[in-house]
Amino acid sequence: MVTAQWRARRRRTLVLLSMIATSVTAFTLLTGAAVTSRLEAVGTVEANFRPAYDILVRPRGSVLPLEQQRNLVQSGQLAGMRGGITIEQWRRIQSRPGVSVAAPVAMIGYVMRTVPITVDLSGLVDPTVERQMLRVQPFWQTDSGLSSIPDGARYLYATRNRIDSPRTDVDGSAGRELIPEEIDSGGRRTKVCPGVQFIGDGEQIDPTDLRGRSSVTCTGGPGSTDGSGRPTRSEVTLVWSIPFLFAAVDPGSEAALAGLDGAVSAGRYFQANEPAATGRLDQMAYPYAKLPVLLADRAQTDATLRLDIQRMDATAVEDLRGLKPYNDDRPLRARLDKKTGRPVDQRTVSIDVPYRDLVDRMRTATTAGRTFDGSDGWANTLWLDQFWTVGPVQSVPGGDGRTAEKVTYDRMVWGRGDEGGTAIAVPREFADTAVRDDIAAHVNDTSEHNVQSGVNMPDVALNAIGTFDPAKVQLGSTLSAVPMDTYYQPGAAGADAASREALDDGRLQPNANVMGLLSQPPLMLTTMEAAGKIFAPNGYRTDPPYPELDLNRTAPISMVRVRLDGAVGTDDTSRERVRSVAQQIAESTGLQVDITLGSSPTAVPVRYPAGEFGRPELLLGEPWVKKGVAAVLVQAADRKSVLLSGLVLAVCALAGLNANRAAVRSRRTELGVLACVGWQRRHLVALLAGEMAAIGLAAGIVGTLVAVPLAWLFDLTLSGARLLLTVPAAVLLALLAGGWPAWRAARPDPAAAVRPAVSSRAARMRTPRGVTGLALANLARTPGRTLLGAASLLIGVAALTMLLAVTFAFRGAATGTLLGEAITLQARTVDYLAVAVTIVLGIASVADVLYLNIADRAPQLALFTAVGWTDRLLNRLVTVEALGMGVLGGALGAGLGLAAASLFAGGVTTALLWCAAVALAAGVLIAVLAVIVPIMMLRGLPTARLLAQD
């Protein structure tokens, strides 16, 4: 009998078998994908769980409110820290049981160094012109090209005549009399380039003031000499000033934590606890301390020098030759700056070139090295006569992050320039917007020494023993990076569309403006032992002499990074061990302790005010660290895997149930006839159960045969136990799905089985008007049929809402950090696949219901056709019925799914409401798409035969 039913209802049998086989295949693949996604997520977390250090110790009071509110740790703050941890506290941390490494960092400050940049203009000098003048206009380009900062112009006066310059090292005359003279062909002498060797007492000005940053250089024909007796050249010299952030580390701890010893690119590494060496000069009556120093072999600073070269007109030459003999060059430079010129060349110099030159000079510096005198751009590469400290970024809460506030300060703290051309060399970027203050200069105090008459030399020197490559320092995984400001500054990307466009989707990098938002990592390192010479009492005096700006001599350490011994994993035991050690450190030292284990970088929005030289206001994603991300991701991945598998199982099971119910319902008349001829309920149930079990068996085999190669193709994890249970599960699914419909269909009253399922209340309804009214009346007349179609959509929409909620809730827990973003990228495929399968099963279920509805009502629809209804009216009738079921099922499904999703997400959120709205819209769209097959069926109705049968 079962076999005969299969043959008689081949189409329905194949549809039912396909639905169950599709459900089996979908469930097998999607649960395998969910498990694979979970394994990949947990594997990624475990691979990136442990950062470079497990615990960060900072001075108490150094934590921003935003860090406490959002479980964050601020990065990029070293430059603004003035210690706060004592040597004794560091030793106490180091001696804690379970601590493998306790690596301290003591910030010293910024050391300014300069290097000359020679601009050769010989190829631009016209040999046919007796006298001419060229202008070199420098522009410092930074902030990803957004800022172009002009500097003082350099002028070259070139003549074919001989220039005779008095020897400054021989002539004892006053500075104002050392004026070069041009000797023309007739022997007439004209003073030119007044003030080239001028050492006057001009007005003291801000060192970034352009009045003190320009110069005039003269070059002549054969026999011409400068003030040092050297032949003149057709070139001008600029000064490139580079601030070096200076810090002290413990050599052994830093080697163990970050592998600094393996990053040395030239020279040697520090010796264990290496102190300052002792040196002595003949002109000094006391020994000096030589601090061992490692220099970064790259600048890690955004800076490019652009040189616009112009040819001046004849009036510029006349201005230079028209000055009185004893005038200095201040009025001349002021007039030349206002004159225009004709562009003849443009050149660019990257910071890498002068930086390497400067590092080489520092490594080969000797006690005979020249000091900077304001004219030739040489740096004092030996002595640490002074350095500067800056405060933290001044900011206020703003939106989800903070807003950096523009500050003003007296730039004379960097030194004093003057209009005589002897301004101290500082980066011109110092003239840009500042968001840091509390700037102080620390000058080496040698007053207690018995210095020889007229000699006031500092007693601390820098001994560059080698260089290190920051790229070779062990920073750990980028997905779990923690503050390693000693070596690396990742910069900041734009946090809104306007900022990303301004930065051309790049990142804002630190520049030479040490009062800006982003500070460079330390480019100069020494040892904790040697740094004691700097923090010693009376070693350096502070200007301005405010106590809060003085060096923290009693507690010089800014932070301590702690790594525990042994393996530390994601398990509860490991996390508890780290928590216990962190608590012991906090209790024994009273310092701020943060557990960085399982952390990952995140972006905190910070609004950076506009610069003075072109940079617009920017909203940046400043890199911070979010604590405890790994544990949250593992928990979210576990919950998501369970919920996703459960939802897919429910969708597949309910799709099979709907198909079985529709199939059984289509045989109500047949079953009623069998009951009329004497079949008992158990016989009818046995017949239907046999059919369902056989279909389930076949569907299970087909589904498994399809799922296995697909799983292999997509590299999904399928366990053997799950595959062995697939076929029995398919049989059980078919029996469960068909059991209740079969039991209801095999009812004792045969007449009830053949009676139309029309509501008695609906039968008393008023006669509908119009096609829409008739469609709605049809829905009300057969509530069982309507609810069956709506239930298909309810199931699909509820599952779709839950799937979207699970996906977005998981991403909400994961995103915002680099580790979380990596995991969500892995999980995206299975999420979308689950949603796609849900939609496909929903469309198939609704189409199946509508198909059977039309089959049941075929005589009625044939009658409509016979009385003149067009295909358009019939299509509209079926479409409105489908939309009615779609709205009903979609609304109920969205509400049910929203309620269930809120339990997972911890409440109803805006994102969940959007998920529910999208699912509702998808439900209505599914109903519309499901109409396509029934409409095609309408066109094939045999009207005459159906009317004859009726």
Side-chain angles (χ1 to χ4, degrees), residues 280-299:
R280 182 181 290 275
L281 287 177
D282 293 339
Q283 68 266 36
M284 295 173 58
Y286 57 89
Y288 64 92
K290 296 169 58 178
L291 307 184
V293 169
L294 274 179
L295 302 170
D297 61 10
R298 62 189 65 183

Side-chain angles (χ1 to χ4, degrees), residues 94 101-104 249-259 261 269-273:
Q94 200 173 38
V101 179
V249 298
D250 176 61
S253 300
E254 215 61 34
L257 181 74
D261 54 340
Y269 186 59
F270 298 120
Q271 299 172 1
N273 300 319

